[in-house]
Amino acid sequence: MIDLRSDTVTQPSEAMRKAMAMAEVGDDVLGEDPTVNQLQERIASLLGKEAGLFMPSGTMANQVAIKTHIQPGNEIIIDKNAHIFYYECGAAAVISGGQFHCLGGEKGILTAKIVEAAIRPADIHQPPTRLICLENSHNRGGGSIYTLENLAGIAKLAAKHDIRVHLDGARLFNAALAAKTTVQKLARQTDSVCVAFSKGLGAPAGSVLCGSKEFIEKAIRFRKMLGGGMRQVGILAAACLYALDNNVKRLEVDHQNAKRSALGLAGMEGLKIDPEQVVTNIVLFDVGSIPMDAYTFAQRLAPAGVLLIPFGPSTLRAVTHLDVTTAEIDKTLEIIQQFLKKV
Ligand code: TLP
């Protein structure tokens, strides 16, 4: 089975499992897990932040960040397709009492100009804008990315209005690679940032939230409140450290495979995709002119050996990752071509 539903489906390799088994551990709620501490310090320094905090998931990292940044009734500027708004169960409303001000970025990417128009004036009738949440790369935007200049423009605007910026960098390493910059340059534009290890980097779980020392000291309490305080969790942190050492550089292969599949799909009758737009490891394509919705397409394709995820009524998503080879991408294209002949 060629599983392109997400880069979250990757299996920990033998070597990663060995690193996990050998990890030195301690009680992380007491701050005594040496492997977790090593990971937190390493990521914070890599991202140019003062401190880092290990999280069980990207969702918790985002939600703890929001809780740490805002007060109930505050407004959060966000793209309407951002993971935080679209896929996190309304958590910011439940946990932080935040109100979203949703904007429509181009492929999910906001600009200072779009954001500026949404910042609330000092008017007692209106909710104060306190936070801007950005996503890089942007999942529902098809792996689209922020240029460093664009991020810097938003950061400058936010600082002028005393608004914080949080970056959902679940796929920040992919974004930096595609933007030909470093994760540090991107992260430096924001007050807080989280990166995930359970996506393209291939670890079974784990995200790290980074920010100032003061921010992380506050965030630890919220992580505990939400049940994210874990004990001998160096076992997971060891997988993340292994991923950092071994799986960052190879993301290039995933990007090449994504481009290869986009080019292949673009040549197939009935499918709509612009390969130029595919810059990281996420491929979105449209089945618009085929008499079948995306859900049925994915369901009927599965028995032929390819798993995709429906991402809208006529949109499907394929994500490349370390458990899919270039040969399997070619096989996928063959299978889809055959499938299209039959429908
Ligand atoms: N994304 C998952 C699904 O939830 C859609 C996927 O398959 O892509 N931020 C971004 C940008 C994400 O894509 C995800 C997961 C998260 C946060 C949440 O991470 P987890 O699953 O660790 O809570």
Side-chain angles (χ1 to χ4, degrees):
M1 189 60 83
I2 303 170
D3 193 347
L4 297 167
R5 288 172 301 166
S6 183
D7 45 9
T8 60
V9 302
T10 51
Q11 294 280 323
S13 63
E14 273 303 309
M16 182 181 275
R17 285 168 189 262
K18 242 187 213 148
M20 294 171 77
M22 302 308 290
E24 212 185 312
V25 296
D27 189 332
D28 183 49
V29 173
L30 303 180
E32 290 173 6
D33 189 302
T35 311
V36 170
N37 291 339
Q38 190 191 335
L39 176 70
Q40 290 174 165
E41 280 159 29
R42 189 162 158 195
I43 293 295
S45 128
L46 191 64
L47 299 182
K49 299 290 182 210
E50 285 174 5
L53 186 60
F54 190 61
M55 295 281 182
S57 71
T59 300
M60 191 183 282
N62 283 330
Q63 294 306 325
V64 165
I66 292 171
K67 180 93 181 144
T68 310
H69 281 304
I70 73 162
Q71 293 298 317
N74 288 170
E75 197 159 79
I76 305 163
I77 291 178
I78 195 160
D79 169 70
K80 66 176 190 293
N81 274 302
H83 195 279
I84 287 174
F85 176 68
Y86 203 97
Y87 286 124
E88 298 189 9
C89 316
V94 178
I95 296 165
S96 306
Q99 168 166 296
F100 285 118
H101 190 146
C102 289
L103 305 177
E106 175 68 22
K107 296 203 172 295
I109 303 298
L110 300 178
T111 61
K113 196 167 166 216
I114 305 176
V115 170
E116 188 161 29
I119 296 173
R120 302 280 188 178
D123 170 352
I124 59 148
H125 302 87
Q126 298 187 41
T129 307
R130 283 283 178 264
L131 182 64
I132 300 166
C133 287
L134 307 174
E135 185 175 316
N136 197 22
S137 67
H138 197 291
N139 187 349
R140 289 190 62 80
S144 51
I145 54 166
Y146 279 86
T147 61
L148 188 54
E149 296 69 37
N150 189 16
L151 261 188
I154 296 174
K156 198 167 155 204
L157 174 74
K160 186 172 129 196
H161 291 269
D162 195 23
I163 296 169
R164 304 286 93 79
V165 180
H166 170 68
L167 179 60
D168 176 353
R171 297 184 180 86
L172 193 64
F173 288 96
N174 297 84
L177 176 65
K180 296 190 170 53
T181 184
T182 63
V183 284
Q184 178 157 140
K185 283 185 181 151
L186 294 169
R188 272 187 183 279
Q189 308 304 323
T190 69
D191 297 285
S192 60
V193 54
C194 54
V195 290
F197 294 91
S198 58
K199 316 252 161 14
L201 297 186
S207 283
V208 174
L209 173 65
C210 292
S212 68
K213 244 177 128 188
E214 194 191 344
F215 172 84
I216 292 298
E217 269 161 23
K218 250 176 104 182
I220 291 176
R221 186 178 289 266
F222 293 131
R223 182 185 68 174
K224 189 76 183 80
M225 184 190 281
L226 298 177
M230 299 182 285
R231 304 295 176 175
Q232 285 70 25
V233 76
I235 286 182
L236 285 180
C240 302
L241 284 166
Y242 179 90
L244 263 186
D245 288 333
N246 296 280
N247 295 344
V248 174
K249 232 178 142 232
R250 62 150 309 285
L251 289 174
E252 215 170 300
V253 178
D254 296 345
H255 292 194
Q256 285 159 6
N257 281 341
K259 189 65 116 183
R260 191 180 182 92
S261 42
L263 288 166
L265 292 168
M268 295 184 198
E269 215 181 309
L271 303 184
K272 243 176 61 193
I273 177 171
D274 178 2
E276 284 289 306
Q277 309 280 352
V278 177
V279 293
T280 57
N281 68 329
I282 298 180
V283 181
L284 298 187
F285 65 98
D286 206 90
V287 292
S289 69
I290 294 166
M292 194 185 283
D293 62 35
Y295 179 80
T296 314
F297 190 103
Q299 209 180 29
R300 293 233 212 125
L301 182 67
V306 173
L307 296 179
L308 302 175
I309 241 177
F311 232 43
S314 64
T315 308
L316 285 143
R317 183 184 77 164
V319 186
T320 55
H321 53 76
L322 52 72
D323 286 342
V324 181
T325 63
T326 306
E328 283 172 319
I329 291 297
D330 291 343
K331 180 84 190 149
T332 297
L333 291 170
E334 244 178 77
I335 290 173
I336 295 179
Q337 185 70 271
Q338 289 302 318
F339 176 75
L340 288 171
K341 276 190 192 145
K342 281 192 230 143
V343 296

